[in-house]
Amino acid sequence: MSQGVVDMNGRRERPADADASVPEVLDQVRDSALRLIAELPRPPYALRVRAGDVSVEVEWNLGTSAPAVTDTLPAVPATVDPLTVPEDRHCVGAPTVGLFYRAPEPGAPPFVTVGDLVRPEQQVGIVEAMKLMIPVVAERGGRVLEIVKDDGAPVEYGEGLIVIAPDDDG
Amino acid sequence: MFKKVLIANRGEIALRVARACRELGIKVVAVHSTADRDSAVVSYADEAVQIGPGPAKRSYLHIPAIVEAALRTGAEAVHPGYGFLSEDPDFAEVCAANGLVFVGPPAEVIATLGDKTTARSLMDSADVPMLAGSMAALPTVAEAQAVADRIGYPVIIKAAAGGGGRGMRMVTDAGDFGRAYRETRASAQALFGDARVYVERYLAPARHIEIQVLADQLGNVIQLGARDCSVQRRHQKLIEETPAPHLPAEVLDEMGRAAVRGARAAGYVGAGTFEFLVDETHDFSFMEVNCRIQVEHPVTEMVTGVDLVQEQFRIAAGHPLSLKQADVLPRGVAVECRVNAEDPERGFVPTPGRLTEFVAPSGPFVRVDTHGFPGYRVPPDYDPLLAKVVVWAPTRHEALDRMDRALAEFRVSGDGVRTTTDFLRAVVRHPLFRSGQHSTSLVEQLTREHGNQFRRAA
């Protein structure tokens, strides 16, 4: 008869050391339990580990913690891709990833509102990234048609912020 | 384990890290430049944030944008991949200051090991053998020349803030030393913002052998064998393999123990690689430590069965390593070829462009790490690595035959796009490489023998 058993990972299991003391066995069981918990995808509700005749049982509580199924999708925020605006429109894109601010500081009037005329190089907003305040500058002049993003909205680099009807020749 | 991780990288490694996250149940945030908006990792990730325009300085190297994206998406940790910010101690520090776990060593360790002069003296104190040379930077040409004259020519002048084969000059003649010293300082300043240089004995021919190390936050440090990366072109690796052919087991064991000693001495945490040069008498000397996951990590994974990126996440999350040294039992041979979008017939000039055809090799024991796909546009803004073809076999001879088979299957075409697959096949078939007796001068030799002509074999 063979001395040991080959487990599903192809490793030969050593027969249990009959001379191991109880504290040593407890340590081994505890270490195995901790390793197992660390490897599980989600923390279990209950874990039972037995050493004699080997046994591991893990339970997850699925009942009350299952997420409720919602039947409405979250609102998709307005996004304008500056690459796809029509030719008679110019879209000012975010100069960096961060938070878009419409005013120079909280409580102050916004840089621009719909209907305003802006000059080329005029500052029309701020994007904050890591406490750096990066100015948003209109590359072309014209009339402000739409403020796409709300004050304080998170934006990606290049995301459309303000749509202008340019008054130059492009 | 982390619930959400931001991957601060691109290309094949971003996708590879994303796959490890998926297997660990970690949500993936991919950051990308405008040039990468259609890239593979962007479609694979759970969330994507565009952080800047094509140029890396304003995207993948732009710390505020990356940290902002991490905070905005609620990522708990940041995996830096390789290259870019992976060995930038400032980035590691900024992450820590913002409550983000940087998947890598602590900032101070990166800083110490990133400065090649402090790294050398640290390793010296850990009894890691190294080449004769200076332990400190040499601020004047007189001091530098004195070191060179003492240790004997040829010598190599290296940037203290450099690494990866960049910012170095070889000097064979004492008469050329002054000019080489000034030029190296100037390019070091331009490349790394730090003009400090040191001098080392130049070893050639030599083999570049590196040891993979894993160290957790609980004091466990293990080594997972050696990789031979001697097939290089202008200090850039092309083919890597494990185990290192024809190196006696005692030498490999010595190197492994030296790497573990060095890792402990440095307080290393994470996945790291200790690079050595090995000469014809099998004496080895410390070169540098790479404080990141490396491009060629798959060959170690293939022979050990260990997922190194998953281990990185386990370590960063404070878990113990999932294996002990006695569990590291490499088996067989693994070889990796880096397929770049370059034209070997025109001096390896990069060939960006849209891929019309992209069929990667497959079949038994073949792994391909790539971000390529039909229709993908290879951008000009980044390094030209397109795919890593990795094979495993029980013996080196079978592995190289398998690699030849795999490279022959690899079909890539596009307008103006070329790849290095034919060139790699020529190396894989070369008798010197097959014999395992090659050194870092192999590619130069091959290029001389065949000119720049690498025709597809019939």
Side-chain angles (χ1 to χ4, degrees):
Chain A
M1 285 311 270
S2 59
Q3 282 296 307
V5 168
V6 178
D7 70 11
M8 69 174 173
N9 291 318
R11 284 190 286 262
R12 192 164 292 277
E13 289 173 341
R14 293 180 288 278
D17 183 352
D19 290 334
S21 66
V22 168
E24 277 167 11
V25 171
L26 270 175
D27 273 339
Q28 284 168 25
V29 166
R30 176 188 159 278
D31 285 343
S32 301
L34 285 176
R35 261 181 202 275
L36 183 57
I37 290 174
E39 284 161 13
L40 292 173
R42 278 181 10 250
Y45 172 71
L47 171 70
R48 274 178 229 54
V49 179
R50 194 177 300 140
D53 289 333
V54 189
S55 156
V56 175
E57 292 173 38
V58 187
E59 260 184 51
W60 282 277
N61 188 352
L62 294 175
T64 53
S65 62
V69 174
T70 52
D71 51 6
T72 55
L73 294 169
V76 176
T79 311
V80 171
D81 182 354
L83 296 180
T84 60
V85 294
E87 274 180 23
D88 59 348
R89 298 279 180 270
H90 170 68
C91 188
V92 182
T96 185
V97 54
L99 294 179
F100 171 56
Y101 297 126
R102 293 189 53 191
E105 54 198 33
F111 284 99
V112 293
T113 51
V114 172
D116 285 354
L117 222 45
V118 299
R119 298 176 314 279
E121 307 301 302
Q122 180 175 337
Q123 181 171 5
V124 296
I126 290 174
V127 174
E128 180 198 352
M130 301 306 300
K131 311 274 190 288
L132 297 176
M133 303 293 171
I134 316 290
V136 181
V137 164
E139 300 92 336
R140 297 167 68 183
R143 192 169 298 279
V144 177
L145 294 178
E146 188 189 348
I147 317 278
V148 180
K149 288 291 186 180
D150 292 336
D151 190 48
V155 296
E156 294 182 290
Y157 170 82
E159 201 170 346
L161 302 176
I162 294 175
V163 182
I164 291 175
D167 57 14
D168 54 24
D169 293 326
Chain B
M1 183 44 66
F2 307 111
K3 303 225 170 22
K4 188 184 279 193
V5 165
L6 182 145
I7 301 176
N9 213 295
R10 62 171 301 279
E12 66 87 14
I13 192 65
L15 189 54
R16 189 263 173 274
V17 171
R19 286 181 161 131
C21 289
R22 186 82 19 106
E23 290 185 3
L24 289 169
I26 302 171
K27 291 262 183 267
V28 174
V29 178
V31 294
H32 65 96
S33 67
T34 51
D36 281 332
R37 56 158 54 105
D38 297 320
S39 70
V41 71
V42 168
S43 5
Y44 192 89
D46 298 291
E47 295 174 63
V49 182
Q50 182 162 284
I51 54 168
K57 259 208 169 66
R58 297 183 53 201
S59 49
Y60 300 103
L61 292 171
H62 192 43
I63 296 178
I66 292 172
V67 177
E68 176 71 26
L71 297 176
R72 214 50 58 212
T73 54
E76 297 161 292
V78 175
H79 195 298
Y82 54 68
F84 291 126
L85 295 168
S86 61
E87 289 177 298
D88 186 328
D90 292 335
F91 182 55
E93 222 178 285
V94 172
C95 286
N98 283 279
L100 299 166
V101 174
F102 175 81
V103 180
E108 324 81 68
V109 175
I110 299 177
T112 304
L113 296 176
D115 180 328
K116 303 310 170 194
T117 55
T118 51
R120 273 170 62 86
S121 32
L122 182 60
M123 291 303 131
D124 193 43
S125 70
D127 281 323
V128 176
M130 55 191 63
L131 289 174
S134 57
M135 286 302 158
L138 302 162
T140 67
V141 64
E143 285 175 75
Q145 181 119 31
V147 172
D149 292 343
R150 175 169 52 81
I151 65 183
Y153 294 84
V155 299
I156 187 160
I157 309 175
K158 293 183 173 178
R166 301 165 69 210
M168 44 180 65
R169 260 170 195 73
M170 204 250 292
V171 183
T172 33
D173 210 74
D176 298 325
F177 188 87
R179 185 173 47 84
Y181 175 84
R182 279 185 294 275
E183 284 174 4
T184 312
R185 279 182 66 87
S187 58
Q189 183 64 44
L191 283 171
F192 314 115
D194 183 344
R196 289 175 313 128
V197 297
Y198 64 103
V199 173
E200 246 180 24
R201 186 105 177 73
Y202 180 73
L203 204 65
R207 296 173 63 183
H208 172 129
I209 311 284
E210 58 187 38
I211 303 282
Q212 176 69 56
V213 154
L214 283 175
D216 63 26
Q217 297 186 50
L218 299 105
N220 300 302
V221 183
I222 64 175
Q223 57 101 354
L224 292 99
R227 294 185 289 256
D228 185 323
C229 307
S230 305
V231 181
Q232 302 180 5
R233 187 188 155 263
R234 307 224 177 135
H235 302 289
Q236 299 302 303
K237 298 169 186 171
L238 292 185
I239 303 181
E240 306 99 346
E241 60 181 297
T242 185
H246 307 310
L247 270 195
E250 316 86 66
V251 176
L252 289 169
D253 284 344
E254 251 316 312
M255 290 172 69
R257 281 195 292 274
V260 170
R261 273 200 310 278
R264 285 196 193 283
Y268 200 82
V269 172
T273 296
F274 281 68
E275 292 190 356
F276 297 94
L277 279 191
V278 181
D279 68 18
E280 293 149 321
T281 66
H282 295 154
D283 279 340
F284 62 92
S285 315
F286 170 77
M287 277 292 103
E288 59 188 48
V289 184
N290 297 318
C291 302
R292 61 186 190 262
I293 193 75
Q294 295 217 236
V295 175
E296 59 269 25
H297 74 275
V299 298
T300 298
E301 295 187 323
M302 299 280 263
V303 300
T304 58
V306 176
D307 186 319
L308 292 170
V309 174
Q310 286 199 21
E311 288 301 309
Q312 285 185 294
F313 283 122
R314 294 177 56 86
I315 292 166
H319 299 320
L321 298 177
S322 42
L323 70 173
K324 302 205 180 314
Q325 188 65 67
D327 301 320
V328 178
L329 299 163
R331 186 176 153 200
V333 175
V335 181
E336 169 182 283
C337 281
R338 300 193 192 187
V339 177
N340 292 331
E342 289 172 332
D343 191 348
E345 294 184 22
R346 288 185 293 143
F348 293 87
V349 64
T351 56
R354 185 171 296 280
L355 305 179
T356 47
E357 185 189 27
F358 187 89
V359 181
S362 189
F365 306 105
V366 174
R367 162 179 170 176
V368 182
D369 282 18
T370 181
H371 55 294
F373 55 88
Y376 172 60
R377 196 182 52 83
V378 179
D381 317 72
Y382 314 110
D383 74 80
L385 178 62
L386 181 56
K388 289 153 28 183
V389 177
V390 191
V391 305
W392 181 93
T395 65
R396 187 170 188 266
H397 184 71
E398 289 169 277
L400 294 178
D401 283 348
R402 176 161 279 151
M403 178 60 79
D404 194 22
R405 187 269 290 166
L407 290 172
E409 285 177 13
F410 205 160
R411 299 211 311 268
V412 185
S413 44
D415 193 20
V417 177
R418 298 284 177 273
T419 69
T420 51
T421 48
D422 288 345
F423 173 78
L424 291 162
R425 285 187 71 197
V427 177
V428 163
R429 292 162 152 211
H430 196 282
L432 194 54
F433 179 66
R434 281 278 175 157
S435 71
Q437 311 285 0
H438 61 289
S439 71
T440 48
S441 53
L442 175 67
V443 170
E444 206 189 298
Q445 192 177 331
L446 201 76
T447 316
R448 268 201 314 271
E449 281 172 14
H450 295 268
N452 276 338
Q453 324 247 310
F454 295 96
R455 305 258 176 266
R456 182 173 288 280

PDB file of all heavy atoms in Angstrom, chain B residues 266-288:
ATOM      1  N   ALA B 266      18.446  45.461   1.365  1.00  0.00           N
ATOM      2  CA  ALA B 266      17.797  46.669   0.846  1.00  0.00           C
ATOM      3  C   ALA B 266      16.426  46.900   1.473  1.00  0.00           C
ATOM      4  O   ALA B 266      15.810  47.930   1.240  1.00  0.00           O
ATOM      5  CB  ALA B 266      17.658  46.560  -0.666  1.00  0.00           C
ATOM      6  N   GLY B 267      15.925  45.939   2.236  1.00  0.00           N
ATOM      7  CA  GLY B 267      14.556  46.065   2.750  1.00  0.00           C
ATOM      8  C   GLY B 267      13.548  45.945   1.619  1.00  0.00           C
ATOM      9  O   GLY B 267      12.500  46.595   1.621  1.00  0.00           O
ATOM     10  N   TYR B 268      13.872  45.101   0.638  1.00  0.00           N
ATOM     11  CA  TYR B 268      13.045  45.011  -0.560  1.00  0.00           C
ATOM     12  C   TYR B 268      11.678  44.405  -0.262  1.00  0.00           C
ATOM     13  O   TYR B 268      11.553  43.482   0.529  1.00  0.00           O
ATOM     14  CB  TYR B 268      13.743  44.161  -1.629  1.00  0.00           C
ATOM     15  CG  TYR B 268      13.182  44.421  -3.001  1.00  0.00           C
ATOM     16  CD1 TYR B 268      13.615  45.515  -3.742  1.00  0.00           C
ATOM     17  CD2 TYR B 268      12.171  43.633  -3.510  1.00  0.00           C
ATOM     18  CE1 TYR B 268      13.060  45.804  -4.975  1.00  0.00           C
ATOM     19  CE2 TYR B 268      11.608  43.908  -4.738  1.00  0.00           C
ATOM     20  CZ  TYR B 268      12.052  44.998  -5.468  1.00  0.00           C
ATOM     21  OH  TYR B 268      11.492  45.304  -6.680  1.00  0.00           O
ATOM     22  N   VAL B 269      10.652  44.961  -0.917  1.00  0.00           N
ATOM     23  CA  VAL B 269       9.297  44.416  -0.827  1.00  0.00           C
ATOM     24  C   VAL B 269       8.738  44.361  -2.240  1.00  0.00           C
ATOM     25  O   VAL B 269       8.825  45.333  -2.989  1.00  0.00           O
ATOM     26  CB  VAL B 269       8.369  45.305   0.041  1.00  0.00           C
ATOM     27  CG1 VAL B 269       6.930  44.815  -0.045  1.00  0.00           C
ATOM     28  CG2 VAL B 269       8.840  45.315   1.482  1.00  0.00           C
ATOM     29  N   GLY B 270       8.197  43.195  -2.619  1.00  0.00           N
ATOM     30  CA  GLY B 270       7.574  43.098  -3.930  1.00  0.00           C
ATOM     31  C   GLY B 270       8.321  42.137  -4.835  1.00  0.00           C
ATOM     32  O   GLY B 270       9.098  41.306  -4.379  1.00  0.00           O
ATOM     33  N   ALA B 271       8.055  42.281  -6.127  1.00  0.00           N
ATOM     34  CA  ALA B 271       8.760  41.485  -7.125  1.00  0.00           C
ATOM     35  C   ALA B 271       9.946  42.308  -7.597  1.00  0.00           C
ATOM     36  O   ALA B 271       9.790  43.463  -7.965  1.00  0.00           O
ATOM     37  CB  ALA B 271       7.841  41.156  -8.296  1.00  0.00           C
ATOM     38  N   GLY B 272      11.122  41.722  -7.610  1.00  0.00           N
ATOM     39  CA  GLY B 272      12.308  42.457  -8.034  1.00  0.00           C
ATOM     40  C   GLY B 272      13.251  41.547  -8.785  1.00  0.00           C
ATOM     41  O   GLY B 272      13.134  40.320  -8.708  1.00  0.00           O
ATOM     42  N   THR B 273      14.182  42.128  -9.513  1.00  0.00           N
ATOM     43  CA  THR B 273      15.138  41.339 -10.289  1.00  0.00           C
ATOM     44  C   THR B 273      16.541  41.849 -10.036  1.00  0.00           C
ATOM     45  O   THR B 273      16.803  43.039 -10.132  1.00  0.00           O
ATOM     46  CB  THR B 273      14.808  41.438 -11.790  1.00  0.00           C
ATOM     47  OG1 THR B 273      13.533  40.860 -12.021  1.00  0.00           O
ATOM     48  CG2 THR B 273      15.847  40.691 -12.612  1.00  0.00           C
ATOM     49  N   PHE B 274      17.430  40.914  -9.704  1.00  0.00           N
ATOM     50  CA  PHE B 274      18.830  41.239  -9.485  1.00  0.00           C
ATOM     51  C   PHE B 274      19.606  40.834 -10.727  1.00  0.00           C
ATOM     52  O   PHE B 274      19.651  39.655 -11.086  1.00  0.00           O
ATOM     53  CB  PHE B 274      19.361  40.498  -8.247  1.00  0.00           C
ATOM     54  CG  PHE B 274      18.957  41.163  -6.963  1.00  0.00           C
ATOM     55  CD1 PHE B 274      17.629  41.178  -6.568  1.00  0.00           C
ATOM     56  CD2 PHE B 274      19.900  41.809  -6.171  1.00  0.00           C
ATOM     57  CE1 PHE B 274      17.241  41.818  -5.385  1.00  0.00           C
ATOM     58  CE2 PHE B 274      19.525  42.445  -4.990  1.00  0.00           C
ATOM     59  CZ  PHE B 274      18.195  42.456  -4.607  1.00  0.00           C
ATOM     60  N   GLU B 275      20.229  41.829 -11.378  1.00  0.00           N
ATOM     61  CA  GLU B 275      20.959  41.548 -12.615  1.00  0.00           C
ATOM     62  C   GLU B 275      22.437  41.340 -12.349  1.00  0.00           C
ATOM     63  O   GLU B 275      23.053  42.100 -11.584  1.00  0.00           O
ATOM     64  CB  GLU B 275      20.813  42.734 -13.587  1.00  0.00           C
ATOM     65  CG  GLU B 275      19.409  42.913 -14.136  1.00  0.00           C
ATOM     66  CD  GLU B 275      19.372  43.942 -15.259  1.00  0.00           C
ATOM     67  OE1 GLU B 275      20.429  44.550 -15.541  1.00  0.00           O
ATOM     68  OE2 GLU B 275      18.305  44.137 -15.848  1.00  0.00           O
ATOM     69  N   PHE B 276      22.995  40.330 -12.986  1.00  0.00           N
ATOM     70  CA  PHE B 276      24.424  40.037 -12.850  1.00  0.00           C
ATOM     71  C   PHE B 276      25.057  39.874 -14.235  1.00  0.00           C
ATOM     72  O   PHE B 276      24.378  39.521 -15.198  1.00  0.00           O
ATOM     73  CB  PHE B 276      24.625  38.724 -12.080  1.00  0.00           C
ATOM     74  CG  PHE B 276      24.124  38.750 -10.658  1.00  0.00           C
ATOM     75  CD1 PHE B 276      22.847  38.312 -10.349  1.00  0.00           C
ATOM     76  CD2 PHE B 276      24.941  39.199  -9.634  1.00  0.00           C
ATOM     77  CE1 PHE B 276      22.382  38.324  -9.037  1.00  0.00           C
ATOM     78  CE2 PHE B 276      24.493  39.217  -8.318  1.00  0.00           C
ATOM     79  CZ  PHE B 276      23.212  38.787  -8.027  1.00  0.00           C
ATOM     80  N   LEU B 277      26.357  40.123 -14.293  1.00  0.00           N
ATOM     81  CA  LEU B 277      27.129  39.752 -15.480  1.00  0.00           C
ATOM     82  C   LEU B 277      27.959  38.535 -15.107  1.00  0.00           C
ATOM     83  O   LEU B 277      28.559  38.505 -14.019  1.00  0.00           O
ATOM     84  CB  LEU B 277      28.069  40.881 -15.907  1.00  0.00           C
ATOM     85  CG  LEU B 277      27.483  42.033 -16.718  1.00  0.00           C
ATOM     86  CD1 LEU B 277      28.611  42.897 -17.271  1.00  0.00           C
ATOM     87  CD2 LEU B 277      26.612  41.533 -17.859  1.00  0.00           C
ATOM     88  N   VAL B 278      27.975  37.548 -15.987  1.00  0.00           N
ATOM     89  CA  VAL B 278      28.733  36.334 -15.707  1.00  0.00           C
ATOM     90  C   VAL B 278      29.796  36.186 -16.780  1.00  0.00           C
ATOM     91  O   VAL B 278      29.482  36.238 -17.978  1.00  0.00           O
ATOM     92  CB  VAL B 278      27.803  35.095 -15.707  1.00  0.00           C
ATOM     93  CG1 VAL B 278      28.589  33.826 -15.392  1.00  0.00           C
ATOM     94  CG2 VAL B 278      26.677  35.290 -14.699  1.00  0.00           C
ATOM     95  N   ASP B 279      31.052  36.005 -16.341  1.00  0.00           N
ATOM     96  CA  ASP B 279      32.124  35.904 -17.341  1.00  0.00           C
ATOM     97  C   ASP B 279      32.402  34.440 -17.685  1.00  0.00           C
ATOM     98  O   ASP B 279      31.710  33.534 -17.220  1.00  0.00           O
ATOM     99  CB  ASP B 279      33.381  36.631 -16.851  1.00  0.00           C
ATOM    100  CG  ASP B 279      34.046  35.951 -15.663  1.00  0.00           C
ATOM    101  OD1 ASP B 279      33.762  34.743 -15.408  1.00  0.00           O
ATOM    102  OD2 ASP B 279      34.849  36.601 -14.978  1.00  0.00           O
ATOM    103  N   GLU B 280      33.421  34.252 -18.521  1.00  0.00           N
ATOM    104  CA  GLU B 280      33.688  32.898 -19.025  1.00  0.00           C
ATOM    105  C   GLU B 280      34.089  31.921 -17.934  1.00  0.00           C
ATOM    106  O   GLU B 280      33.943  30.708 -18.082  1.00  0.00           O
ATOM    107  CB  GLU B 280      34.806  32.945 -20.076  1.00  0.00           C
ATOM    108  CG  GLU B 280      34.391  33.686 -21.336  1.00  0.00           C
ATOM    109  CD  GLU B 280      35.579  34.378 -21.992  1.00  0.00           C
ATOM    110  OE1 GLU B 280      36.429  34.931 -21.247  1.00  0.00           O
ATOM    111  OE2 GLU B 280      35.633  34.377 -23.219  1.00  0.00           O
ATOM    112  N   THR B 281      34.626  32.448 -16.829  1.00  0.00           N
ATOM    113  CA  THR B 281      35.014  31.527 -15.749  1.00  0.00           C
ATOM    114  C   THR B 281      33.875  31.313 -14.768  1.00  0.00           C
ATOM    115  O   THR B 281      34.063  30.741 -13.699  1.00  0.00           O
ATOM    116  CB  THR B 281      36.236  32.080 -14.972  1.00  0.00           C
ATOM    117  OG1 THR B 281      35.817  33.276 -14.291  1.00  0.00           O
ATOM    118  CG2 THR B 281      37.379  32.395 -15.916  1.00  0.00           C
ATOM    119  N   HIS B 282      32.661  31.840 -15.112  1.00  0.00           N
ATOM    120  CA  HIS B 282      31.475  31.703 -14.268  1.00  0.00           C
ATOM    121  C   HIS B 282      31.538  32.530 -12.995  1.00  0.00           C
ATOM    122  O   HIS B 282      30.791  32.270 -12.057  1.00  0.00           O
ATOM    123  CB  HIS B 282      31.173  30.236 -13.939  1.00  0.00           C
ATOM    124  CG  HIS B 282      30.809  29.428 -15.147  1.00  0.00           C
ATOM    125  ND1 HIS B 282      30.993  28.074 -15.217  1.00  0.00           N
ATOM    126  CD2 HIS B 282      30.297  29.804 -16.341  1.00  0.00           C
ATOM    127  CE1 HIS B 282      30.594  27.648 -16.407  1.00  0.00           C
ATOM    128  NE2 HIS B 282      30.176  28.673 -17.098  1.00  0.00           N
ATOM    129  N   ASP B 283      32.457  33.497 -12.964  1.00  0.00           N
ATOM    130  CA  ASP B 283      32.390  34.475 -11.872  1.00  0.00           C
ATOM    131  C   ASP B 283      31.269  35.440 -12.202  1.00  0.00           C
ATOM    132  O   ASP B 283      31.120  35.864 -13.351  1.00  0.00           O
ATOM    133  CB  ASP B 283      33.705  35.258 -11.776  1.00  0.00           C
ATOM    134  CG  ASP B 283      34.762  34.473 -11.029  1.00  0.00           C
ATOM    135  OD1 ASP B 283      34.393  33.543 -10.284  1.00  0.00           O
ATOM    136  OD2 ASP B 283      35.964  34.791 -11.201  1.00  0.00           O
ATOM    137  N   PHE B 284      30.481  35.818 -11.184  1.00  0.00           N
ATOM    138  CA  PHE B 284      29.382  36.731 -11.462  1.00  0.00           C
ATOM    139  C   PHE B 284      29.563  38.025 -10.674  1.00  0.00           C
ATOM    140  O   PHE B 284      30.135  38.037  -9.585  1.00  0.00           O
ATOM    141  CB  PHE B 284      28.030  36.081 -11.159  1.00  0.00           C
ATOM    142  CG  PHE B 284      27.829  35.678  -9.723  1.00  0.00           C
ATOM    143  CD1 PHE B 284      27.238  36.552  -8.822  1.00  0.00           C
ATOM    144  CD2 PHE B 284      28.213  34.414  -9.281  1.00  0.00           C
ATOM    145  CE1 PHE B 284      27.040  36.176  -7.501  1.00  0.00           C
ATOM    146  CE2 PHE B 284      28.013  34.035  -7.955  1.00  0.00           C
ATOM    147  CZ  PHE B 284      27.426  34.921  -7.064  1.00  0.00           C
ATOM    148  N   SER B 285      29.063  39.101 -11.251  1.00  0.00           N
ATOM    149  CA  SER B 285      29.173  40.424 -10.619  1.00  0.00           C
ATOM    150  C   SER B 285      27.846  41.143 -10.681  1.00  0.00           C
ATOM    151  O   SER B 285      27.156  41.093 -11.703  1.00  0.00           O
ATOM    152  CB  SER B 285      30.207  41.290 -11.348  1.00  0.00           C
ATOM    153  OG  SER B 285      31.360  40.563 -11.617  1.00  0.00           O
ATOM    154  N   PHE B 286      27.523  41.822  -9.609  1.00  0.00           N
ATOM    155  CA  PHE B 286      26.269  42.564  -9.508  1.00  0.00           C
ATOM    156  C   PHE B 286      26.251  43.727 -10.493  1.00  0.00           C
ATOM    157  O   PHE B 286      27.244  44.441 -10.645  1.00  0.00           O
ATOM    158  CB  PHE B 286      26.106  43.093  -8.080  1.00  0.00           C
ATOM    159  CG  PHE B 286      24.972  44.062  -7.916  1.00  0.00           C
ATOM    160  CD1 PHE B 286      23.668  43.610  -7.861  1.00  0.00           C
ATOM    161  CD2 PHE B 286      25.204  45.437  -7.841  1.00  0.00           C
ATOM    162  CE1 PHE B 286      22.611  44.499  -7.715  1.00  0.00           C
ATOM    163  CE2 PHE B 286      24.161  46.332  -7.692  1.00  0.00           C
ATOM    164  CZ  PHE B 286      22.854  45.867  -7.624  1.00  0.00           C
ATOM    165  N   MET B 287      25.119  43.907 -11.173  1.00  0.00           N
ATOM    166  CA  MET B 287      24.949  45.023 -12.090  1.00  0.00           C
ATOM    167  C   MET B 287      23.982  46.037 -11.500  1.00  0.00           C
ATOM    168  O   MET B 287      24.337  47.158 -11.197  1.00  0.00           O
ATOM    169  CB  MET B 287      24.386  44.537 -13.429  1.00  0.00           C
ATOM    170  CG  MET B 287      25.402  44.007 -14.375  1.00  0.00           C
ATOM    171  SD  MET B 287      26.489  45.312 -14.977  1.00  0.00           S
ATOM    172  CE  MET B 287      27.935  44.971 -13.999  1.00  0.00           C
ATOM    173  N   GLU B 288      22.726  45.630 -11.386  1.00  0.00           N
ATOM    174  CA  GLU B 288      21.721  46.527 -10.827  1.00  0.00           C
ATOM    175  C   GLU B 288      20.503  45.729 -10.386  1.00  0.00           C
ATOM    176  O   GLU B 288      20.382  44.544 -10.687  1.00  0.00           O
ATOM    177  CB  GLU B 288      21.305  47.586 -11.853  1.00  0.00           C
ATOM    178  CG  GLU B 288      20.731  47.043 -13.150  1.00  0.00           C
ATOM    179  CD  GLU B 288      20.520  48.143 -14.192  1.00  0.00           C
ATOM    180  OE1 GLU B 288      21.434  48.943 -14.425  1.00  0.00           O
ATOM    181  OE2 GLU B 288      19.425  48.177 -14.770  1.00  0.00           O
TER     182      GLU B 288
END
